[in-house]
């Protein structure tokens, strides 16, 4: 560019010099310089016209031949166009590759613009949701009208996926996971989870049916064991010991079946079932009385502190009783005789808190992520001698999920444990 600029300056100076020389010869220097300037401007306009015609034609043609600054301009524009074509081809190759990859996915992929309207989708999404090419630019809510999806989409909290019936096939279940990107655009991944849903339903039905079927024969066995125990028949010590063990295991099996049935109901019934305002202090007073009776001769010091006596929670009273009772019962079972158990209810930041603290043996923090799993036990602090079923904290977790709550656990070996229920719904008084 600098070489072409130098050539162009020399050309202009030569033209002006020749015009000045001719003008001096004819004694019309000004007119000669003016004529030379017009000639140079005309040449410039002609070069601009050539550039414009070349740009309007097919860019694959080589640029017009020229010299000076215009030769450099033609060449630089041509090279710039070549680079743009190469970059465009590279970008198009990447786009084609991404489209081929997404087309091979079994999961549906949908791209929404900042307004929540359809921008692009892959063939799997078209198959699962029945999109057509004419649907581009329309709101996704026009095609997925399930109330849960509408709330999920508009609330903007996409930390967890949403599972709903398919809007196109009534026999299918679809899972939607939304991710934000770019300038408030959204990416939706749609997955067919029909088989997983059926397997989960089969598992729930199996547990519920087996639990109910076991209850009847277990009731008969327990009845005969109680009859033998209360009959006053003289039994030798070995038989008496065997009878006591059978009764103990029969009661433990009965508790296990009851917990399995409770857990099955929590999994299968719709969240929000039979919800109404529940006064928490009377509920906790009743649980404290039950815990005191369970403690019996072990003499635990069980205290209850309600900072807001009139505090109420919208929920299912039976489910809340089950969750709170499980926490307090666990504290009684795993706290040594004479230990302290503190129940506390309070509210802060428009949230309701209920905690159960004990000074039992505690456990290592590595167990905390697994405590709410079914039948999980901490080796040292939980054993069959406590009579637990291993389902208590799983029940607590499900109850809290159904009441917009969460469970926080803290523990230190040799110091004790604290279980805190946090309800995010605003309290009512």
């Amino acid at each position: 560019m600098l070489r072409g600029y130098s050539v162009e300056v020399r050309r202009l100076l030569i033209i002006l010099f020749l015009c000045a020389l001719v003008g001096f010869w004819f004694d019309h220097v000004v007119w000669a310089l003016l004529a030379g300037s017009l000639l140079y401007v005309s040449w410039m306009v002609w070069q601009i016209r050539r550039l414009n015609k070349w740009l309007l034609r097919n860019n694959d043609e080589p640029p017009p031949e020229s010299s000076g600054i215009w030769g450099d301009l033609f060449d630089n524009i041509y090279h710039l166009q070549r680079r743009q074509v190469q970059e465009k081809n590279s970008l198009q190759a990447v786009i084609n590759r991404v489209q081929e990859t997404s087309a091979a996915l079994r999961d549906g992929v949908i791209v929404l613009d900042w307004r929540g309207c359809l921008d692009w989708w892959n063939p799997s999404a078209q198959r699962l949701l029945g999109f057509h090419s004419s649907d581009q630019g329309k709101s996704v809510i026009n095609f997925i009208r399930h109330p849960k999806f509408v709330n999920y989409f508009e609330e903007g909290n996409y930390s967890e996926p949403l599972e709903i019936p398919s809007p196109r096939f009534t026999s299918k279940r679809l899972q939607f996971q939304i991710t934000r990107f770019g300038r408030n655009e959204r990416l939706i991944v749609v997955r067919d989870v029909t088989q997983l849903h059926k397997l989960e339903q089969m598992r729930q039905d199996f547990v519920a049916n087996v639990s109910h079927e076991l209850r009847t024969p277990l009731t008969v066995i327990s009845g005969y064991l109680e009859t033998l125990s209360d009959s006053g028949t003289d039994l030798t010590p070995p038989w008496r010991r065997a009878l006591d063990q059978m009764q103990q295991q029969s009661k433990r099996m009965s508790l296990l079946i009851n917990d399995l049935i409770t857990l099955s109901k929590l999994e299968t019934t719709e969240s929000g079932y039979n919800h109404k305002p529940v006064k928490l202090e009377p509920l906790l007073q009743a649980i404290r009385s039950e815990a005191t009776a369970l403690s019996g001769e072990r003499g635990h010091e069980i205290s209850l502190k309600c900072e807001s006596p009139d505090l109420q929670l919208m929920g299912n009273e039976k489910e809340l009783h089950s969750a709170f009772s499980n926490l307090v019962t666990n504290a009684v079972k795993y706290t040594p005789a004479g230990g302290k158990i503190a129940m506390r209810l309070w509210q802060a930041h428009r949230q309701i808190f209920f905690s159960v603290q004990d000074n039992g043996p505690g456990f290592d923090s590595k167990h905390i992520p697994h405590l709410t799993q079914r039948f999980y036990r901490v080796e040292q602090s939980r054993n069959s001698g406590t009579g637990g079923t291993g389902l208590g904290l799983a029940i607590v977790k499900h109850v809290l999920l159904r009441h917009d709550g969460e469970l926080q656990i803290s523990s230190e070996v040799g110091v004790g444990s604290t279980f805190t229920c946090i309800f995010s719904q605003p309290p009512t008084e």
Side-chain angles (χ1 to χ4, degrees):
M1 178 65 73
L2 292 178
R3 182 176 177 275
Y5 179 76
S6 301
V7 170
E8 198 65 36
V9 169
R10 284 201 304 271
R11 176 183 294 158
L12 178 60
L13 291 177
I14 291 172
I15 292 174
L16 293 177
F17 176 76
L18 293 175
C19 290
L21 187 62
V22 172
F24 180 77
W25 181 263
F26 290 102
D27 197 23
H28 291 288
V29 176
V30 175
W31 287 105
L33 290 174
L34 181 60
S37 300
L38 289 175
L39 178 64
Y40 182 77
V41 170
S42 300
W43 183 80
M44 283 287 187
V45 172
W46 180 65
Q47 294 292 349
I48 293 174
R49 181 174 178 274
R50 295 176 68 201
L51 174 62
N52 185 57
K53 290 178 63 177
W54 175 62
L55 292 176
L56 292 177
R57 291 198 302 268
N58 189 352
N59 292 332
D60 291 336
E61 297 182 3
E65 293 293 334
S66 187
S67 61
I69 193 171
W70 286 102
D72 288 348
L73 282 174
F74 285 134
D75 291 340
N76 290 332
I77 292 175
Y78 180 73
H79 292 314
L80 180 61
Q81 288 179 338
R82 293 299 91 198
R83 286 198 299 271
Q84 288 179 341
V85 169
Q86 292 176 357
E87 292 175 358
K88 181 180 178 181
N89 292 336
S90 299
L91 182 60
Q92 188 61 46
V94 173
I95 293 175
N96 293 338
R97 185 66 174 171
V98 171
Q99 290 180 342
E100 291 174 1
T101 304
S102 61
L105 292 174
R106 298 184 62 183
D107 296 340
V109 179
I110 307 170
V111 177
L112 305 180
D113 61 18
W114 62 273
R115 301 169 301 169
C117 298
L118 299 174
D119 190 23
W120 178 87
W121 58 87
N122 69 343
S124 295
Q126 182 172 352
R127 184 181 66 255
L128 291 172
L129 299 172
F131 293 146
H132 300 285
S133 58
S134 60
D135 296 331
Q136 189 172 16
K138 297 179 181 178
S139 175
V140 68
I141 298 178
N142 293 344
F143 306 93
I144 311 173
R145 301 181 180 180
H146 195 284
K148 286 187 176 181
F149 179 83
V150 175
N151 293 335
Y152 177 69
F153 183 79
E154 293 180 348
E155 286 179 0
N157 182 13
Y158 308 136
S159 57
E160 296 293 334
L162 173 69
E163 184 178 321
I164 59 173
S166 169
R168 189 180 185 191
F169 307 102
T170 55
S171 60
K172 289 183 176 293
R173 299 278 298 189
L174 300 180
Q175 184 186 81
F176 295 84
Q177 177 69 68
I178 302 179
T179 304
R180 294 185 183 274
F181 73 98
R183 297 181 178 179
N184 202 31
E185 291 122 325
R186 278 166 278 201
L187 176 73
I188 303 180
V189 178
V190 187
R191 179 170 298 171
D192 186 351
V193 293
T194 305
Q195 293 300 321
L196 293 176
H197 179 73
K198 289 181 178 179
L199 289 174
E200 178 64 17
Q201 192 64 45
M202 289 174 61
R203 182 194 66 80
Q204 294 176 0
D205 293 342
F206 173 78
V207 172
N209 292 335
V210 169
S211 301
H212 281 93
E213 291 298 326
L214 287 175
R215 174 177 277 181
T216 299
L218 185 61
T219 301
V220 175
I221 294 173
S222 299
Y224 278 114
L225 290 175
E226 290 180 5
T227 301
L228 288 174
S229 179
D230 297 338
S231 63
T233 305
D234 293 333
L235 297 174
T236 59
W239 281 105
R240 172 58 62 182
R241 189 162 51 250
L243 184 62
D244 291 341
Q245 289 181 353
M246 285 189 288
Q247 282 188 298
Q248 180 183 359
Q249 295 303 318
S250 174
K251 291 179 180 179
R252 186 179 174 202
M253 181 64 73
S254 179
L255 291 174
L256 176 60
I257 291 174
N258 290 335
D259 283 351
L260 283 173
I261 292 175
T262 300
L263 197 55
S264 176
K265 289 180 179 179
L266 291 174
E267 291 178 332
T268 55
T269 57
E270 188 72 20
S271 179
Y273 170 74
N274 198 25
H275 277 202
K276 59 183 180 181
V278 179
K279 292 185 177 181
L280 296 179
E281 184 182 23
L283 177 65
L284 296 178
Q285 290 287 3
I287 293 175
R288 179 176 178 273
S289 299
E290 296 169 3
T292 302
L294 177 65
S295 174
E297 297 179 354
R298 300 177 66 191
H300 293 103
E301 182 182 334
I302 304 175
S303 62
L304 172 61
K305 181 180 180 181
C306 294
E307 298 183 3
S308 301
D310 298 327
L311 198 59
Q312 298 185 60
L313 181 67
M314 185 64 67
N316 185 302
E317 184 171 358
K318 187 176 180 180
E319 293 179 7
L320 291 174
H321 182 280
S322 176
F324 297 159
S325 178
N326 269 297
L327 293 178
V328 179
T329 300
N330 282 348
V332 172
K333 290 177 179 178
Y334 303 123
T335 302
K340 295 182 179 180
I341 300 171
M343 304 165 57
R344 182 187 172 205
L345 175 70
W346 75 100
Q347 70 176 86
H349 307 295
R350 296 189 60 78
Q351 291 181 316
I352 298 176
F353 298 82
F354 170 69
S355 67
V356 179
Q357 183 177 15
D358 63 64
N359 61 350
F363 47 83
D364 195 274
S365 59
K366 67 180 182 180
H367 298 289
I368 292 178
H370 310 287
L371 286 179
T372 56
Q373 298 175 1
R374 294 176 177 84
F375 304 110
Y376 183 85
R377 291 181 179 276
V378 178
E379 294 296 333
Q380 296 179 351
S381 63
R382 298 186 177 191
N383 52 64
S384 58
T386 63
T389 63
L391 295 173
L393 291 180
I395 292 174
V396 173
K397 173 187 173 183
H398 278 78
V399 171
L400 295 184
L401 287 175
R402 292 163 62 86
H403 290 78
D404 298 326
E406 60 176 313
L407 179 65
Q408 289 187 353
I409 306 173
S410 63
S411 184
E412 185 176 349
V413 177
V415 177
S417 307
T418 302
F419 295 79
T420 305
C421 303
I422 305 175
F423 299 92
S424 58
Q425 59 173 290
T428 59
E429 296 188 5

